[in-house]
Amino acid sequence: EAGVAQSPRYKIIEKRQSVAFWCNPISGHATLYWYQQILGQGPKLLIQFQNNGVVDDSQLPKDRFSAERLKGVDSTLKIQPAKLEDSAVYLCASSLIGQSYNEQFFGPGTRLTVL
Amino acid sequence: DQQVKQNSPSLSVQEGRISILNCDYTNSMFDYFLWYKKYPAEGPTFLISISSIKDKNEDGRFTVFLNKSAKHLSLHIVPSQPGDSAVYFCAAEGIFGKGTRLHILP
């Protein structure tokens, strides 16, 4: 079974530029998550999708971050414009359903450096 | 305010001994807790979980204990092996602790 795929693996941009990350979850997983992991911290949930609907985006900085999951499969996360403090690893995860007992399967992450 | 706390940034344990990783939480409504393990340049992988209605769950070398009155859980690894060297995260309801880096010494 293929795991969660993410691209790109690394991205370096200047502040105020835009960037987009892509995630393809495990086939059949209805729930998709985007996390931000700053160095030395645990992953912080940015947004959770159930199929193509948003379940929780309370911690997404909506003035600069946006995410979509068209057709309830793959997803993109965009930052526009980027700030220095957005430097982090962006992790995508998926689970069968979005219950608290469901283990999440994580992709390898995209390491973003904002200069 | 951190709802899931891992107060030990790192831990070193001799190979073959027991590793004990701790986690505290503040929200008594959490009903499930999960532990994840993370190697460098990889995403976290699920290790073991426990329901709030239980006080212990065991899977091979890994055991998680839950003390609801103290809002505390711990992950025990016995015996510790070199491949256990990684960062361990405690999580509940999608909220992760900061992680504990475990070093297994030869």
Side-chain angles (χ1 to χ4, degrees):
Chain A
E1 178 183 84
V4 176
Q6 288 189 249
S7 68
R9 290 296 309 273
Y10 304 92
K11 190 76 178 177
I12 300 174
I13 62 172
E14 302 268 337
K15 61 183 178 184
R16 290 188 289 273
Q17 284 187 320
S18 302
V19 65
F21 312 126
W22 175 81
C23 172
N24 192 28
I26 292 173
S27 177
H29 280 194
T31 308
L32 185 146
Y33 312 80
W34 282 102
Y35 289 88
Q36 179 193 59
Q37 186 178 12
I38 292 172
L39 188 65
Q41 305 288 318
K44 173 185 147 185
L45 181 66
L46 293 176
I47 189 166
Q48 177 183 343
F49 291 95
Q50 182 74 17
N51 296 310
N52 59 350
V54 175
V55 173
D56 182 0
D57 63 356
S58 56
Q59 298 198 88
L60 187 74
K62 298 181 187 64
D63 57 334
R64 299 184 300 106
F65 286 64
S66 64
E68 60 183 10
R69 191 185 183 197
L70 299 176
K71 300 180 183 178
V73 182
D74 56 352
S75 174
T76 55
L77 176 70
K78 296 179 182 177
I79 308 175
Q80 180 181 11
K83 292 185 175 181
L84 296 176
E85 59 260 36
D86 298 333
S87 293
V89 174
Y90 291 84
L91 294 161
C92 178
S94 69
S95 64
L96 272 173
I97 54 176
Q99 297 302 315
S100 59
Y101 53 81
N102 281 142
E103 64 177 281
Q104 297 180 23
F105 295 81
F106 285 81
T110 297
R111 181 177 296 279
L112 173 67
T113 302
V114 182
L115 302 175
Chain B
D1 181 35
Q2 280 187 280
Q3 295 193 62
V4 177
K5 300 177 187 179
Q6 293 176 260
N7 294 319
S8 299
S10 66
L11 175 68
S12 294
V13 174
Q14 208 74 33
E15 182 179 352
R17 299 288 187 104
I18 183 171
S19 295
I20 300 176
L21 296 96
N22 295 304
C23 177
D24 297 295
Y25 62 96
T26 57
N27 189 339
S28 58
M29 299 301 290
F30 287 150
D31 61 355
Y32 237 87
F33 302 89
L34 299 92
W35 284 92
Y36 288 84
K37 175 180 178 178
K38 185 181 183 305
Y39 291 121
E42 295 182 11
T45 55
F46 171 75
L47 193 57
I48 192 170
S49 63
I50 188 166
S51 163
S52 61
I53 63 172
K54 294 188 174 182
D55 55 18
K56 177 183 174 181
N57 187 28
E58 191 172 351
D59 182 3
R61 296 187 298 114
F62 303 92
T63 303
V64 57
F65 295 92
L66 175 62
N67 182 334
K68 283 188 68 176
S69 60
K71 295 193 179 70
H72 177 83
L73 60 157
S74 59
L75 174 67
H76 293 214
I77 306 173
V78 182
S80 300
Q81 298 176 353
D84 297 330
S85 293
V87 178
Y88 290 79
F89 292 101
C90 172
E93 301 285 345
I95 301 169
F96 284 72
K98 289 186 176 183
T100 296
R101 184 177 299 276
L102 177 64
H103 300 270
I104 304 302
L105 306 170

